[in-house]
Amino acid sequence: MNPRSVAAILACLLSFGIGSAAPADDVIARARAYLGAERALEAVRSIHFTGTLELTAQVPSEADPSVTVDQQLRLPVDIVFQKPYQQRIVVRSEKVIETSALDDYDGWQRRSDAQDPSRSQVVPLDPQQVKRLRANTWENLSFFRGLERRGGRVEYQGEATADGVACAKIAFIHGENIVFYRFFDRTTGRLVKTETESGGEIREEGEMTVSGVRFPRKVINKTPDGKTTTITFEKVVINEVHPASDFAYPTLSAP
């Protein structure tokens, strides 16, 4: 499995200028209230998800290794977000451990032998990949508020229908090519669907409440070409303190 493709899948974990800031503020306030009390949301410094990643990958055929075939995979996944801009995603298979990480403005990926983790290849992420990981980290830790403080902007896009639900559409614009269009239930504030600037779609199913904050049980990501990736969360832990070494660019000898 290509580590770049895994990072792209997980990192998405998500007409301008319609209306004014006030409607967006009202929608975001309702969306935050749906997730939890202000005190609980503001107290979040880190989130640690553990669960299972399900995807279709191309693997060599047993009958003819020169030919690739589709195979459904269920792999353990471990995801950490920590303020202000730290992220670490680890996906394990029987043969390979794939890690992608963000440490402020540094991003990297490592592919390690599952039987001998000292056998690793480490590559840096390019500037656009780093920008997307920073946006993804903010989206997971901010609970929709404060994008202007990091140089982005929020725009109200009017009313829309998503999955049969009357919604308010808000664009979270992190940069020219990094935009999350979020559809919130006009009545409850629940996030119904997210679209990305590239045409991907993200939906959430189920829920669990941890330290007064509501999280989904499942996140389903559909790419523009129709491929679907699902992450099912088995555990969520808030406000663990993760050391800097978890995110720092590794040496080749690091496990």
Side-chain angles (χ1 to χ4, degrees):
M1 182 167 45
N2 188 311
R4 289 185 178 272
S5 65
V6 171
I9 289 169
L10 298 175
C12 288
L13 336 358
L14 326 131
S15 58
F16 295 160
I18 300 176
S20 65
D25 291 343
D26 292 342
V27 174
I28 289 172
R30 189 176 301 114
R32 285 173 64 88
Y34 180 83
L35 294 178
E38 282 295 318
R39 175 181 292 184
L41 300 182
E42 291 296 331
V44 175
R45 303 298 302 172
S46 72
I47 306 173
H48 184 185
F49 298 98
T50 54
T52 303
L53 170 67
E54 299 178 64
L55 73 162
T56 302
Q58 288 194 328
V59 300
S61 168
E62 293 184 3
D64 182 358
S66 65
V67 177
T68 58
V69 296
D70 287 344
Q71 180 180 345
Q72 284 294 120
L73 299 178
R74 297 183 77 254
L75 305 172
V77 62
D78 187 275
I79 306 170
V80 172
F81 299 101
Q82 183 165 267
K83 287 184 176 180
Y85 290 106
Q86 291 178 317
Q87 177 186 150
R88 180 182 174 98
I89 301 170
V90 182
V91 180
R92 298 175 182 270
S93 68
E94 292 182 359
K95 296 181 178 180
V96 178
I97 302 171
E98 296 178 355
T99 304
S100 63
L102 172 74
D103 188 11
D104 200 4
Y105 285 99
D106 292 325
W108 52 271
Q109 292 177 332
R110 180 173 64 198
R111 185 179 176 89
S112 305
D113 187 317
Q115 304 306 314
D116 182 6
S118 65
R119 297 176 57 189
S120 301
Q121 294 178 325
V122 182
V123 296
L125 299 181
D126 64 41
Q128 184 62 22
Q129 289 173 312
V130 169
K131 289 178 182 178
R132 186 165 291 279
L133 286 185
R134 283 174 62 86
N136 184 250
T137 301
W138 184 91
E139 289 284 337
N140 278 275
L141 291 169
S142 70
F143 304 104
F144 313 125
R145 180 176 290 168
L147 183 55
E148 297 84 356
R149 293 195 295 270
R150 71 171 300 268
R153 66 187 190 276
V154 174
E155 294 184 356
Y156 177 68
Q157 304 262 296
E159 298 180 1
T161 300
D163 298 345
V165 178
C167 295
K169 182 180 179 182
I170 306 290
F172 294 81
I173 305 167
H174 293 261
E176 182 178 355
N177 298 313
I178 304 176
V179 184
F180 297 89
Y181 300 95
R182 299 198 182 274
F183 295 76
F184 297 98
D185 186 317
R186 290 172 54 195
T187 302
T188 66
R190 177 179 68 90
L191 176 62
V192 176
K193 180 179 74 168
T194 299
E195 295 178 351
T196 66
E197 81 292 333
S198 63
E201 295 185 353
I202 304 166
R203 287 176 171 82
E204 300 177 353
E205 293 184 359
E207 65 179 52
M208 65 178 88
T209 300
V210 180
S211 299
V213 180
R214 193 184 309 219
F215 293 96
R217 285 279 180 183
K218 184 179 293 188
V219 175
I220 303 168
N221 178 57
K222 184 177 181 181
T223 61
D225 61 4
K227 294 181 179 179
T228 299
T229 301
T230 301
I231 302 176
T232 301
F233 299 123
E234 292 145 15
K235 186 177 181 182
V236 179
V237 180
I238 289 178
N239 290 340
E240 289 177 330
V241 178
H242 300 272
S245 58
D246 283 357
F247 313 97
Y249 198 99
T251 61
L252 290 178
S253 60

